[in-house]
Amino acid sequence: HRTKNLSQGALFLEATLPHPAGTRVVLDFDLGDGPIRLDAEVVPHRPGEAGMAMRFVNVGTRERARLERFLTS
């Protein structure tokens, strides 16, 4: 899947069939400095847009710092 939008608290995967809102998932991806694993929950998004919006839940201090470094680099 391809990430269209990534922020400190959420991401949007484009061109994927969405799970129902409220579904919990575990995301594994690479920020360039190694793999990261985050828990997320599917949230509603704009109708007609193919993909799935997810907000991160229970993000640890270390993971939050890595996301921040990635987003500001």
Side-chain angles (χ1 to χ4, degrees):
H1 304 289
R2 186 172 145 194
T3 301
K4 180 177 180 180
N5 190 356
L6 174 66
S7 71
Q8 188 73 22
L11 66 75
F12 184 83
L13 294 177
E14 66 180 358
T16 187
L17 294 174
H19 295 294
T23 301
R24 291 286 182 112
V25 295
V26 176
L27 302 172
D28 291 301
F29 53 99
D30 194 326
L31 294 177
D33 64 350
I36 188 170
R37 176 173 279 195
L38 298 171
D39 294 329
E41 181 178 349
V42 177
V43 295
H45 67 284
R46 286 178 260 168
E49 189 170 18
M52 185 166 43
M54 291 172 273
R55 71 174 179 89
F56 304 134
V57 294
N58 303 322
V59 180
T61 304
R62 183 174 180 203
E63 290 82 4
R64 188 169 305 282
R66 287 185 62 206
L67 274 172
E68 186 175 339
R69 275 195 309 274
F70 177 79
L71 292 168
T72 58
S73 63

